[in-house]
Amino acid sequence: LDRDFMERESVRRADRVVSPSKYLLDWMRSRGWQLPTNTIVLPNLMPKSLLSSDLIGRTSSRQYIEKIVFFGRLEPRKGLRIFCDAVDRLPPEMQNSIGRIIFLGKVVTQTGFDSQRYIADRAVNWQSPIEVLSDKNRDGALEVLQEPGTLAVMPSLVENSPYTVLECLTRGIVFVASRVGGIPELLAGESQSTHLFDPTPGAL
């Protein structure tokens, strides 16, 4: 209660509030937060090194998918269960067409949940080989996603304005993401129907 009061009061008394998404401001207002008049949306910034012209769009010509990559922390909140449920629903012939399923993100071992054990249990009957990559930094992860024939999947249940999606956009990485939080604000309207899905296994 103390922390909740301090957070709300800090916002109420602020000279200016800056949010990376309209979604977060709407979320706060719907829960009774008092925002100052001077409140603006300023999207997350990207380093110039990730915006060079030789990186943007260089993977946009890919026409096939042979690797599917779960991109994000390996935990239920980031959609790990949804992703595994969706793979379970794929018919065998479609699973056979996937050369590899990669889980790219930090392993979580807390509150009785172990990412690697969970993934191993879920993948027992999958037709595609799996790989867990939990030791990559940002640049290393983006290199994996930029390999030809790769589809990044970000099925988060809750998000504000994630850098994972922004990095895929700036690097021209083929991806789909859940339609939650501030993610739709990052995509042009015509791209939302092809790149975003409701956070359910069936939609994915």
Side-chain angles (χ1 to χ4, degrees), residues 9 27 55 69 76 78 95 99 104 116 120 129 148 152 189 203:
E9 194 69 0
W27 183 93
L55 294 175
V69 182
K78 293 298 184 180
Q95 284 198 26
L104 179 60
Q116 290 186 302

Side-chain angles (χ1 to χ4, degrees), residues 22-148:
K22 180 178 179 293
Y23 156 77
L24 183 57
L25 297 178
D26 291 342
W27 183 93
M28 296 168 77
R29 291 188 179 103
S30 70
R31 287 157 176 79
W33 290 58
Q34 297 181 45
L35 278 64
T37 302
N38 196 354
T39 296
I40 63 172
V41 174
L42 180 65
N44 286 327
L45 304 177
M46 291 291 288
K48 285 186 177 180
S49 61
L50 294 183
L51 296 174
S52 58
S53 58
D54 62 322
L55 294 175
I56 296 175
R58 81 177 181 189
T59 58
S60 60
S61 61
R62 285 180 283 183
Q63 300 295 323
Y64 65 96
I65 296 297
E66 62 179 16
K67 289 180 293 185
I68 296 179
V69 182
F70 176 97
F71 185 32
R73 281 175 61 87
L74 306 181
E75 60 177 330
R77 187 180 61 171
K78 293 298 184 180
L80 184 59
R81 288 194 175 98
I82 288 176
F83 180 85
C84 292
D85 287 346
V87 175
D88 282 343
R89 293 183 179 209
L90 294 175
E93 61 273 16
M94 189 171 290
Q95 284 198 26
N96 287 329
S97 70
I98 302 171
R100 184 170 298 274
I101 296 176
I102 299 174
F103 294 85
L104 179 60
K106 292 184 179 180
V107 168
V108 174
T109 53
Q110 60 188 16
T111 62
F113 182 83
D114 185 305
S115 299
Q116 290 186 302
R117 180 178 299 175
Y118 179 82
I119 292 169
D121 290 343
R122 292 299 306 268
V124 168
N125 297 317
W126 292 357
Q127 303 299 315
S128 307
I130 68 167
E131 185 176 3
V132 177
L133 300 178
S134 59
D135 60 345
K136 301 291 185 181
N137 60 18
R138 183 193 64 192
D139 292 337
L142 293 176
E143 287 180 7
V144 171
L145 295 175
Q146 285 186 282
E147 293 175 0

Side-chain angles (χ1 to χ4, degrees), residues 1 7-8 65 69 76 80 109 122 125 138 148 151 164 171 176 188-190 203:
L1 290 175
E7 289 180 346
R8 289 171 180 260
I65 296 297
V69 182
L80 184 59
T109 53
R122 292 299 306 268
N125 297 317
R138 183 193 64 192
L151 171 68
T164 52
R171 291 290 186 106
V176 292
E190 61 271 17

Side-chain angles (χ1 to χ4, degrees), residues 152-170:
V153 181
M154 294 162 281
S156 297
L157 300 179
V158 179
E159 284 291 359
N160 179 16
S161 186
Y163 266 103
T164 52
V165 173
L166 191 57
E167 288 164 348
C168 286
L169 286 167
T170 57

